[in-house]
Every structure is written in C-alpha cells, then in structure tokens.
Amino acid sequence: MNIPASPIIPPLDLGRQYQDLQAEINAAVLAVLASTQYIGGPVVAQFEEDFAHYTNTPFCISCNSGTDALYLALRAFDIGPGDEVITSPFSFIATAEVISMVGATPVFVDIVPQTFNLDPQQVERAITARTRAIIPVHLFGLPAQMDQLLAIAKAHQLPIIEDCAQATGATWQDPSGCTHKVGSIGEIGCFSFYPSKNLGGCGDGGAITTHNPALAEKMRILRDHGRRSGYFHEAVGMNSRLDSLQAAILGVKLPYLDRWNHQRHAVAQRYSQLLDQIPGIILPQLAPNSVWNQYTIRVQHRDELDSASPRRDRLRAALLEQGIQSMVYYPLPLHRQPVYANLNYALGQLPGADRAALEVLSLPMFPELSEQEQERVKEAIKEALQHI
Ligand SMILES: *Cc1c(COP(=O)(O)O)cnc(C)c1O
C-alpha cells in the first residue's frame, strides 16, 4: 500500500462538525434518552415546526429518509401503475426508485451540461397523457430552473415534487425577484438528513414540506401506518417516523445551517480561484444560490484518447496517491443502470447525462475545509494533469 506523504483529505469530514458542537449535541441526546420519548413526542414536533419555519412552508412532516419523503410524496398524489413521472437521469437512484416503488414508470429526460440539472425544454417534450408529476433534483446544491419548470407544470396541470436532498437551505429567485427556499416552490419538497447532506443527522432521516393542507394530512397518515391515531387504519401506509434522537440532533444543527452553507460557498469560491485557467478541466458555475453539497468539476473526456478509461479516473487515482479523496457522483446515469435495462434507453439517447458520468469529479467539500487543504488539492490536480 502507498502511504501518502501528507495527511488524508477526505471528501467530507463529519468529525470536525461534531467536535464544534459536541457539548450541545451530547446534551440533546442525553435529554432524549432520559425522557424515554423515543418515537414521536415534543422533540419531533418541535423539529417539524422549526423546519417548516426555516423552509417557509406551513407544513413539515418528518420521516425516516429522503427516499421515504419522495415515496410519500408520490403516494400523496395517488401515483401508481400506468402512470409516468418525469425526472433526471443524473441523480442518486432514490429519485427514480420511488417512482418504480409505487408501480409507475420513470421517464428520464436529459440534463443541462452546465448545471447538471433537468433541461426544462426536454421535460416539456416528454409529457404524455400518462404523465402525473415532475421531479426536478436540485443536484449538488444548485436549484433547478424552476421558473421554466413551473410554467411547464402549470400549462400541463402537473405537480412538481422537488428533490431537495442535496440542497437544504438553498434559495431560488422567481422572475419578480422574490426569493424562495427550495422545498417551498413546488407542491411538495423532499429532504434527506443522511449524514453527508448539508443538514445531516447521525443516522437516517428525512422531511417533506408543503403548502397544501390536504397533501400534508395525507402524508402524515401514510407515514404512520395509514392512521390518524390509535389502531384505526384508513390507508395502506408504512412505518417512516423520524425518531426523537435524530430530531434532537437535527434541532441542534438547524440554526447553524446557513452559516455552514456560507462556508461551503466560500470553499467553492476559493476552488474556483485556485483552479481557474487549468487546462483540461471545467469548473462548475459559481452560482450564488447554490449551497454546494458538492463542488463538481469536469475532466474533459477525449473520445479518441480516453477510450480505455476516462481521464477523470486517472486524475482521481493520481489525487488518491497524494492522499486526496475525490468522489464520482455519478458513474452510471440512472437510465443505463441494470435495474432499468427493461426501459430500453440506448447509449447516446441522453448524451448530456452520459457525458457527465464520464467526466464528473467531486472534490473534497465541507464547511471546515481549510485553505491549506484546498491549496494541496490544486497543486495535486495541476501536477497530475501534466502526465495523465
Ligand atoms: C440522498 C439523496 C436521496 C435519498 O435520501 P436518503 O435519506 O438517503 O434516503 C434522494 N435524492 C437525492 C438527490 C439524494 O442525494
């Protein structure tokens, strides 16, 4: 094994955040343990209220994961067999998986290369009589092109379910200049509190936000075995409750989220300065409204030279030798995953997603990443690109 000369730079370092908040988190956890209210109760109710307030939506329903949040959203619209839901092929599997879980069919449309987000024009062309919803993903922390998507959804009377898993705290500006938190723009917003997300718990967790009281009530019932209370069940629901320990931890962290998102932005800005003008890589747009769950560069793929392996993979390996751990989100787009072979998408049908999968490389990104570490990342990239 190669022993790197310098300390490892991980893709994210949850330890630094925990160290900063250790006393507060430990106290909140111990209070829940002593309360013996482990499922539901005031701590969960308080977090739902705080998160609704934070996202500026009247209703927040906490649940067990971001995946469940998306699943519950589809169930709230009674989407099922025979229905189609339009979404991005360049996302985590959960976005499409939930569409299949309710028995509907995911319809993948291509992304805009510069943003990695859904291309609204292609969304419009993919709408059929069977389309029941659109799920844009605010990938890597950058809100999707919501103005165009909202217009299309309105024209076709389709609900938008936002996949906010990677964008907690991001804002989007409407054409009139008003800003909206993601999760408050479409009919339903779906959040993940997986540890690596911008607001992450110490385990699984998720939340749904909405302005619509009827949808909120339905999802609240579905989340807890299809019941309002007691042992009377009016729908086939599930067990997807957020537990009190996670709610307590998330409640401690929520007040810090904006600060962390600012720090992420500063990290992104520094990367963009440091890596500017390095040939062979393309930097992400420095959008002021991204919350930078990832800082994802493209390592340009040259069809004629890189057929054996993407140049991106060689850069990744070279960085690893220097102790720098980068990630590939995502190496295979959803439309070409084995699980969706039955949908018969061909290579080249969604060229934007196919190319992104060959080129993307997410650099270490977390609020506490130091300037010194970022210098090292830059030097390693510059050096490697000269010989790979
Ligand atoms: C993490 C993630 C999810 C799923 O969230 P879990 O809490 O892990 O179930 C869904 N969509 C996207 C885009 C994600 O990044």
Side-chain angles (χ1 to χ4, degrees), residues 64-70 90-98 137-140 163-167 190-197 203-206 293 330:
N64 204 260
S65 67
T67 307
D68 283 3
L70 289 160
F90 201 61
S91 182
F92 180 57
I93 184 70
T95 313
E97 193 175 30
V98 292
V137 182
H138 306 307
L139 199 76
F140 302 149
D163 184 340
C164 308
Q166 297 186 9
C190 299
F191 293 86
S192 166
F193 304 129
Y194 185 82
S196 68
K197 310 296 169 142
D204 277 309
N293 185 254
Y330 296 91

Side-chain angles (χ1 to χ4, degrees), residues 229-296:
S229 65
Y231 295 92
F232 301 93
H233 306 273
E234 47 194 275
V236 178
M238 64 197 292
N239 175 358
S240 184
R241 299 167 303 224
L242 182 71
D243 64 68
S244 312
L245 283 171
Q246 295 310 328
I249 292 164
L250 293 166
V252 167
K253 289 188 174 190
L254 182 57
Y256 296 95
L257 178 60
D258 285 343
R259 185 194 304 173
W260 291 331
N261 284 344
H262 276 117
Q263 287 174 274
R264 285 174 182 275
H265 190 78
V267 169
Q269 237 168 344
R270 272 203 306 266
Y271 267 139
S272 291
Q273 282 160 9
L274 289 167
L275 303 176
D276 191 30
Q277 310 290 337
I278 297 183
I281 58 173
I282 299 172
L283 307 182
Q285 290 179 335
L286 205 56
N289 66 336
S290 175
V291 290
W292 300 101
N293 185 254
Q294 300 298 333
Y295 184 90
T296 302

Side-chain angles (χ1 to χ4, degrees), residues 89-239:
F90 201 61
S91 182
F92 180 57
I93 184 70
T95 313
E97 193 175 30
V98 292
I99 300 168
S100 306
M101 279 166 64
V102 299
T105 304
V107 173
F108 298 112
V109 312
D110 213 359
I111 55 169
V112 178
Q114 290 77 17
T115 64
F116 301 111
N117 282 332
L118 265 188
D119 179 347
Q121 278 163 8
Q122 304 205 39
V123 168
E124 180 137 55
R125 274 184 253 137
I127 292 172
T128 71
R130 290 170 182 259
T131 308
R132 294 289 314 279
I134 303 167
I135 309 184
V137 182
H138 306 307
L139 199 76
F140 302 149
L142 178 68
Q145 279 165 264
M146 294 307 294
D147 40 356
Q148 293 166 54
L149 289 171
L150 284 171
I152 293 164
K154 195 170 168 207
H156 296 267
Q157 295 186 311
L158 292 169
I160 286 185
I161 298 167
E162 296 172 70
D163 184 340
C164 308
Q166 297 186 9
T168 312
T171 54
W172 164 78
Q173 200 173 42
D174 71 25
S176 74
C178 291
T179 56
H180 307 263
K181 279 259 159 62
V182 298
S184 70
I185 308 162
E187 262 68 30
I188 296 178
C190 299
F191 293 86
S192 166
F193 304 129
Y194 185 82
S196 68
K197 310 296 169 142
N198 292 44
L199 177 64
C202 301
D204 277 309
I208 310 156
T209 51
T210 184
H211 291 281
N212 183 315
L215 291 174
E217 189 186 19
K218 210 163 162 184
M219 292 188 288
R220 208 173 270 288
I221 290 169
L222 288 171
R223 167 192 72 168
D224 186 22
H225 298 295
R227 66 182 163 187
R228 276 166 222 275
S229 65
Y231 295 92
F232 301 93
H233 306 273
E234 47 194 275
V236 178
M238 64 197 292
N239 175 358

Side-chain angles (χ1 to χ4, degrees), residues 43-57:
V43 177
V44 175
Q46 184 66 53
F47 176 71
E48 290 184 340
E49 194 182 316
D50 294 347
F51 197 69
H53 185 255
Y54 179 81
T55 54
N56 204 16
T57 51

Side-chain angles (χ1 to χ4, degrees), residues 330-346:
Y330 296 91
L332 188 62
L334 300 180
H335 66 288
R336 293 204 290 115
Q337 291 287 346
V339 65
Y340 286 128
N342 62 318
L343 298 178
N344 292 315
Y345 285 85

